[in-house]
Amino acid sequence: MFDKIQIIKKYAKENNVPIMQNDGIDFLISYIKKNNIKNILEIGTAIGYSAIMMALTSKDIKVTTIERDELRYKEAIKNIKELNLEDRITVINKDAFDVELNDNFELIFIDAAKAQSIKFFEKFENNLTKNGAIITDNLNFHGLVKTPEEEILSRNVRGIVRKTKAYIEFLKNNEKYNTEFYDIGDGISLSIKK
Ligand code: SAH
Ligand code: MG
């Protein structure tokens, strides 16, 4: 099992797939264990790495995960089969904005297009159980959220940084949730529904 995980990580590195860093994964796993989480929704599967790590936390965990890119979706399906997790991880190959889910999840993990986090949050909070949590990755956006804007040369990157800052403000001002921010990995937030 550990060999298979190492192969997935190596593939991610060689193909520039932005998978979660180790300390971010540790954070997710410890939240799942501590709160006895069983049903998880993930936005942004990539090649299945974080979904697999979450599912491996305990045998009765189910993960539903959404990925719009077809190549990554196929790689995720392959990896999930390698680990015999196809009964517990469902991958949906669609744009998350086109997905309608009726199930409720105790944990929603947002790790997709960084400029869209507010929209993902608002769409999928309807699928959160009472006292459920939404965890979001990449709130530092490779350290750029703390960089003075004039030092960021790419207009596109500046746009993403602005939207990330707006998301942080959105979370801070959202009275329906208690949000904590952690300087772990590329910056993580944990928003617990009141
Ligand atoms: N959670 C993964 C990494 C996800 S990378 C891990 O840690 O292993 C982010 C992924 O989100 C990319 O593969 C990208 O294609 C996908 N994505 C971005 N916007 C999306 C959207 N609107 N709907 C579905 N997938 C999206
Ligand atoms: Mg990420």
Side-chain angles (χ1 to χ4, degrees), residues 120-139:
F120 291 131
F121 191 106
E122 287 181 331
K123 177 173 169 66
F124 290 105
E125 68 173 330
N126 300 318
N127 296 94
L128 198 60
T129 56
K130 196 169 177 282
N131 304 318
I134 300 183
I135 293 180
T136 312
D137 189 31
N138 303 101
L139 294 182

Side-chain angles (χ1 to χ4, degrees), residues 18-21 109-112 114 137-138 186:
I19 62 168
M20 269 223 131
Q21 300 171 18
F109 175 44
I110 302 176
D111 190 20
K114 304 310 160 196
D137 189 31
N138 303 101
D186 192 27

Side-chain angles (χ1 to χ4, degrees), residues 27 31 106-110 121 125 128-129 131-136 139 167-168 170-174 176-182 188-194:
F27 179 87
Y31 182 82
E106 304 152 272
L107 172 63
I108 299 178
F109 175 44
I110 302 176
F121 191 106
E125 68 173 330
L128 198 60
T129 56
N131 304 318
I134 300 183
I135 293 180
T136 312
L139 294 182
Y167 183 60
I168 293 168
F170 163 85
L171 293 177
K172 282 185 183 161
N173 297 326
N174 193 328
K176 291 185 279 174
Y177 296 81
N178 280 318
T179 297
E180 299 278 351
F181 297 91
Y182 297 89
I188 289 176
S189 60
L190 168 61
S191 309
I192 299 175
K193 202 168 161 184
K194 287 183 192 167

Side-chain angles (χ1 to χ4, degrees), residues 21-49:
Q21 300 171 18
N22 292 340
D23 50 354
I25 288 287
D26 290 346
F27 179 87
L28 272 179
I29 289 175
S30 75
Y31 182 82
I32 290 167
K33 282 190 179 155
K34 220 185 278 166
N35 295 282
N36 204 19
I37 301 292
K38 301 297 175 208
N39 287 300
I40 303 169
L41 171 65
E42 176 183 66
I43 320 297
T45 318
I47 59 171
Y49 170 68

Side-chain angles (χ1 to χ4, degrees), residues 89-149:
I89 304 179
T90 306
V91 192
I92 301 171
N93 184 203
K94 275 190 185 171
D95 190 299
F97 292 113
D98 297 329
V99 176
E100 293 304 330
L101 296 169
N102 296 317
D103 311 285
N104 282 332
F105 302 90
E106 304 152 272
L107 172 63
I108 299 178
F109 175 44
I110 302 176
D111 190 20
K114 304 310 160 196
Q116 311 276 353
S117 296
I118 295 181
K119 287 194 195 151
F120 291 131
F121 191 106
E122 287 181 331
K123 177 173 169 66
F124 290 105
E125 68 173 330
N126 300 318
N127 296 94
L128 198 60
T129 56
K130 196 169 177 282
N131 304 318
I134 300 183
I135 293 180
T136 312
D137 189 31
N138 303 101
L139 294 182
N140 294 341
F141 198 58
H142 319 300
L144 290 168
V145 168
K146 290 185 184 114
T147 305
E149 221 174 77

